[in-house]
Amino acid sequence: MKYKIAVVATHPVQYQAPLWRAIAASPDFDVKVYFASRHGLDEAMDPGFGKAFAWDIPLLGGYDHEFLPSVRIPILPGPIANLYPKGLADR
């Protein structure tokens, strides 16, 4: 029996991608990561870094993932941490 794991994340993160790949490679787990943003994949201005950037390493290979439309949760700090993917209940 495979255990199903759903991961909810604001955006692909360079130090999390190896973890998702490792879990996906296990015969015991079926993992899917749901992202609320493509932040870091496409070059854009990042307020935290103060300049435009995009990661130069692969962040999406080796595991199942999906980008969902997002809504902002105003009580959380932004600009990325306050994103929440819509449509999770449908998945």
Side-chain angles (χ1 to χ4, degrees):
M1 179 177 99
K2 279 192 165 191
Y3 295 96
K4 292 188 114 184
I5 299 173
V7 177
V8 180
T10 55
H11 62 291
V13 178
Q14 75 280 9
Y15 54 82
Q16 293 175 349
L19 175 61
W20 309 145
R21 285 186 199 109
I23 293 171
S26 169
D28 297 324
F29 299 104
D30 180 13
V31 65
K32 185 162 187 175
V33 183
Y34 295 96
F35 295 113
S37 166
R38 293 185 54 84
H39 180 77
L41 295 177
D42 306 316
E43 187 166 331
M45 177 57 107
D46 182 288
F49 288 120
K51 64 179 187 173
F53 89 101
W55 293 111
D56 59 355
I57 59 172
L59 299 178
L60 300 176
Y63 62 94
D64 195 13
H65 61 277
E66 184 178 348
F67 291 92
L68 297 174
S70 60
V71 294
R72 291 199 180 274
I73 301 172
I75 61 170
L76 299 175
I80 298 157
N82 64 4
L83 292 177
Y84 184 81
K86 296 189 313 186
L88 286 173
D90 297 334
R91 292 339 182 251

